[in-house]
Amino acid sequence: MSALYSVTTPTRMQTDLIPHLTHPTTHLYVRQTTGSGKTFAIACSLLSIAIQEHHMLTQKLQCTSAKAHEIQALNTLVVVPNRELALQIVRWAHEMLEHAYPQMSRAKVIQCVVGGKEYESVQKGVLKRHGMPAILVGTPKTLMNLMASSDTGAPLVTVLPPEMLRRLSLGDDESAAEYAKRLHGVHVLSKQSMKTMPAGGLRGLRRLVIDEIDQVLCIPGKNATEREKKLRKDKPKPGQLLIDQVLLDTCKLSRLNAVVHQAGLLGWQKREVKEVAQQKPRIRRWIKDRDPLLGPPAPVAQPVETVEPNRDLMRLRELADLVGRQSLQITALSATANSAVRQWMQKRGWMSSRPLVIDNEDTRVTMPSHVEHYCLVVEDQNVVRNFRAKDEASEQLANEPKDEPGSNASGAKEADADVWAEDQMSAMELMAEVAANTFEALDPRGSVIIFTRSDASTTQFAHVLERYGILAHDIMVYFDATLQSRVDEAVGSHGHKDRRVFIATEEAARGIDVTDTSLVMILDIPKNVASYTHMAGRTGRFNRAGAVVSVVPVGEMGWSESKMRGIFSQLDIRPTKAPFVES
């Protein structure tokens, strides 16, 4: 590890997380600051597990290598919101495999499926030649397409339930009493160690990792209107549809949750089972029925058999929360995930009621203290000034002369209009000029990431930047080894061998780690606090120094500046006055 990435000791968060991944006993919900190494810890742990289980199958259980790969097929599914993050995870894995196990087939261990014409045909070819790997990393929409069908009619990606959930699944015609009789055997099976575990116990999906969970789900916030919630319910995001399909349909968690719910009712009510069956369960179902996002709950079968609730069915409840090598562990992580997302997952039936939460010491979303934050405000084509704090803005407003009634000056002048509402090329020219001046003043070394609007053309903006002396490339180049070598040659010939500049959109900010990023420029108003956190979090990683420069239009009546004021306040950031700006 130290030879590849100069990593000698894990971070505190990695020390807490990795043992729960390699020796699973519970579901995991992780919220840590950007740059703490969450995704890297996941990649290292999953790779280590895959290698360990392959050795166990081939050496201790005497399976051939081909048979071991067939048993391990799609043991782990990693869902990420963007292709940049998916490519980064697989790149790390390939580098580590090449360094430690050069003889092992990388395509058998880990593959990546993302959208884009330049990727899809190659990915399908690898799947057809090598079959499903032990670890599959992908974006929701692409995974759903591959799970649906292929050119030959059969899906290229097939998810199978793990042995534990297959045995816990309630049969269509099975009564509660018959089901209870099987619990003891399942309980014994769950206690088996790796040494005594049959090879079949390692089949099926046993690890589901959802990186940047809040971005994958895009759940409406607490202040969302009923209309927004209803729209979200009517048009679920691909991430929700994918995970619903994997957990509730394939792994049958919806039916298992129904039985567990029944067991809970029987265990909580201190009465005979027949008496409970005759009464309507005391559930506040009206809340779920009215929930415009979750909709009505799944129907729960009523118990009709006389079973001992405190022994058999309550054991089922324990088994449903049990996570082991033969069961399914769900790991959800993000720097900006909150309790509302976790509660939504639990209500949806994706996660048990008792996951292990690995959280920041400070429950608020925070930014590293070793990163400098600047904010520049564009008033018009000729005026760029420093961001003003609330007290400064109030003082400035008090000192301004009052306008005569009917006049069109000061606060209502055209300079207060949104710069981005004008011709896009003019806006690009202005932003490129600001970027060039910032580069000249700060003289950044290493990598620089410039974030633009989602609807802006990164290729077009790169041409504009080049006219101002900045050679920039799309962020996707960083994740392609062949293209990256060409970038290094171009940078060397351009006269800035110690600086590489990449352009990205906000959607690509989630989770990516570009080595030695010393400067991040945000050339637009962030959508919200989470958006700023993830873009700014590309620098200052692993306790390295960094700087973030936001460039925003003043907006009508100073709205944009006011929004930035709110974001900085929530993140407890006090922007530094840029010395290279006069006012």
Side-chain angles (χ1 to χ4, degrees):
M1 196 70 69
S2 59
L4 285 175
Y5 308 110
S6 301
V7 176
T8 55
T9 55
T11 65
R12 180 176 177 180
M13 186 282 308
Q14 292 171 337
T15 303
D16 293 339
L17 175 61
I18 290 175
H20 294 289
L21 292 168
T22 55
H23 298 84
T25 56
T26 182
H27 300 306
L28 300 174
Y29 193 81
V30 184
R31 190 187 76 158
Q32 290 284 326
T33 56
T34 57
S36 58
K38 298 181 294 296
T39 304
F40 190 69
I42 292 287
C44 293
S45 301
L46 297 181
L47 203 59
S48 174
I49 294 168
I51 297 298
Q52 179 191 13
E53 291 184 351
H54 185 79
H55 286 335
M56 188 204 70
L57 287 167
T58 54
Q59 297 176 12
K60 296 183 179 179
L61 299 180
Q62 305 302 314
C63 294
T64 63
S65 181
K67 181 66 174 178
H69 284 305
E70 186 267 329
I71 291 173
Q72 287 186 282
L74 201 50
N75 279 170
T76 304
L77 182 63
V78 182
V79 182
V80 296
N82 56 60
R83 63 183 181 179
E84 291 84 357
L85 182 52
L87 292 170
Q88 176 179 272
I89 293 172
V90 174
R91 176 182 172 179
W92 282 337
H94 285 179
E95 289 172 348
M96 287 185 278
L97 283 172
E98 185 67 27
H99 179 75
Y101 300 95
Q103 75 286 356
M104 183 169 286
S105 171
R106 293 180 297 180
K108 292 287 188 181
V109 178
I110 186 169
Q111 292 181 33
C112 173
V113 289
V114 296
K117 294 181 180 179
E118 65 272 33
Y119 297 102
E120 289 177 358
S121 59
V122 175
Q123 292 165 173
K124 289 181 179 179
V126 173
L127 277 169
K128 290 176 181 177
R129 287 194 306 272
H130 298 278
M132 288 189 297
I135 306 168
L136 185 62
V137 185
T139 52
K141 190 175 292 186
T142 305
L143 285 168
M144 288 187 68
N145 292 338
L146 292 174
M147 290 167 62
S149 62
S150 67
D151 300 336
T152 60
L156 288 174
V157 174
T158 304
V159 180
L160 300 175
E163 181 69 12
M164 179 70 71
L165 291 183
R166 188 185 67 79
R167 297 199 179 201
L168 282 175
S169 181
L170 180 67
D172 292 332
D173 300 324
E174 190 173 23
S175 67
E178 293 171 334
Y179 183 75
K181 291 178 182 179
R182 291 200 283 118
L183 295 183
H184 179 70
V186 177
H187 185 73
V188 172
L189 179 68
S190 69
K191 298 298 183 182
Q192 288 184 335
S193 65
M194 289 286 287
K195 296 180 180 180
T196 59
M197 184 188 302
L202 296 179
R203 289 186 186 274
L205 181 69
R206 293 181 288 113
R207 286 169 291 274
L208 174 64
V209 178
I210 314 168
D211 203 352
E212 305 299 341
I213 179 67
D214 51 335
Q215 180 73 4
V216 169
L217 296 181
C218 293
I219 297 173
K222 61 181 180 180
N223 297 322
T225 63
E226 293 298 314
R227 182 178 177 277
E228 290 173 331
K229 292 181 180 180
K230 186 178 185 304
L231 181 64
R232 173 63 174 76
K233 177 180 179 293
D234 295 339
K235 295 182 179 181
K237 296 296 181 181
Q240 177 186 332
L241 295 175
L242 171 69
I243 300 168
D244 269 347
Q245 181 178 343
V246 170
L247 294 182
L248 304 186
D249 297 338
T250 302
C251 294
K252 307 297 183 185
L253 285 190
S254 56
R255 300 192 65 190
L256 179 59
N257 287 333
V259 177
V260 172
H261 183 66
Q262 167 188 320
L265 288 175
L266 291 170
W268 296 332
Q269 304 289 340
K270 302 298 182 180
R271 308 174 187 176
E272 291 293 327
V273 176
K274 288 185 178 180
E275 182 182 352
V276 176
Q278 294 170 358
Q279 296 183 8
K280 186 176 181 179
R282 297 178 61 187
I283 309 173
R284 297 178 65 188
R285 185 167 294 169
W286 60 273
I287 294 179
K288 295 183 179 180
D289 289 339
R290 293 184 185 180
D291 193 317
L293 188 58
L294 288 172
V300 178
Q302 294 298 319
V304 294
E305 303 288 341
T306 303
V307 184
E308 293 187 44
N310 291 329
R311 187 183 66 180
D312 294 321
L313 288 177
M314 288 311 292
R315 182 183 296 165
L316 167 63
R317 185 173 183 81
E318 295 175 2
L319 286 172
D321 280 342
L322 177 69
V323 174
R325 290 189 178 274
Q326 298 179 79
S327 189
L328 174 63
Q329 182 186 47
I330 302 168
T331 302
L333 60 154
S334 174
T336 50
N338 53 35
S339 58
V341 176
R342 173 164 51 89
Q343 291 165 7
W344 191 92
M345 294 175 65
Q346 291 168 343
K347 290 180 181 179
R348 193 80 191 170
W350 293 358
M351 185 176 281
S352 71
S353 58
R354 294 172 289 181
L356 175 66
V357 179
I358 302 177
D359 205 345
N360 297 315
E361 293 182 359
D362 189 343
T363 57
R364 301 173 301 165
V365 177
T366 58
M367 296 298 298
S369 58
H370 50 273
V371 175
E372 291 283 348
H373 296 262
Y374 303 91
C375 185
L376 309 181
V377 180
V378 179
E379 291 200 345
D380 59 28
Q381 294 286 346
N382 301 311
V383 179
V384 177
R385 61 171 173 80
N386 274 301
F387 164 86
R388 292 171 185 156
K390 189 173 182 179
D391 51 348
E392 293 176 310
S394 301
E395 182 180 350
Q396 179 74 16
L397 185 63
N399 293 333
E400 287 183 354
K402 302 295 183 181
D403 298 333
E404 294 295 329
S407 67
N408 182 28
S410 194
K413 61 185 179 180
E414 293 181 1
D416 206 32
D418 190 344
V419 175
W420 275 256
E422 301 173 4
D423 177 59
Q424 191 178 65
M425 183 56 70
S426 299
M428 285 186 178
E429 291 281 351
L430 179 59
M431 292 298 104
E433 183 179 354
V434 173
N437 292 334
T438 302
F439 277 37
E440 182 179 355
L442 298 182
D443 192 21
R445 294 289 189 268
S447 299
V448 177
I449 303 178
I450 300 177
F451 287 103
T452 65
R453 287 171 64 104
S454 301
D455 58 355
S457 168
T458 56
T459 303
Q460 190 177 20
F461 188 47
H463 290 314
V464 176
L465 285 169
E466 192 169 3
R467 291 204 297 270
Y468 285 84
I470 299 175
L471 183 63
H473 299 84
D474 190 283
I475 191 67
M476 287 299 298
V477 171
Y478 180 78
F479 304 103
D480 190 315
T482 56
L483 293 176
Q484 193 173 353
S485 60
R486 298 177 191 173
V487 170
D488 293 338
E489 293 177 7
V491 169
S493 62
H494 198 264
H496 291 285
K497 295 182 180 181
D498 53 354
R499 180 192 301 162
R500 296 179 302 169
V501 183
F502 299 100
I503 306 175
T505 59
E506 180 183 327
E507 287 73 20
R510 293 287 184 139
I512 62 172
D513 182 69
V514 178
T515 305
D516 297 333
T517 300
S518 60
L519 173 64
V520 165
M521 292 198 70
I522 304 174
L523 305 184
D524 193 15
I525 309 167
K527 294 177 182 176
N528 47 41
V529 173
S531 173
Y532 183 88
T533 300
H534 285 281
M535 287 191 287
R538 298 314 99 198
T539 188
R541 302 174 71 80
F542 297 101
N543 295 319
R544 299 188 184 104
V548 181
V549 178
S550 302
V551 184
V552 300
V554 67
E556 186 174 356
M557 302 300 292
W559 176 85
S560 301
E561 190 171 13
S562 177
K563 182 173 181 179
M564 292 302 299
R565 202 173 287 128
I567 290 174
F568 290 142
S569 174
Q570 289 189 56
L571 293 174
D572 198 20
I573 293 173
R574 295 192 177 187
T576 304
K577 294 288 185 182
F580 50 89
V581 176
E582 292 183 1
S583 57

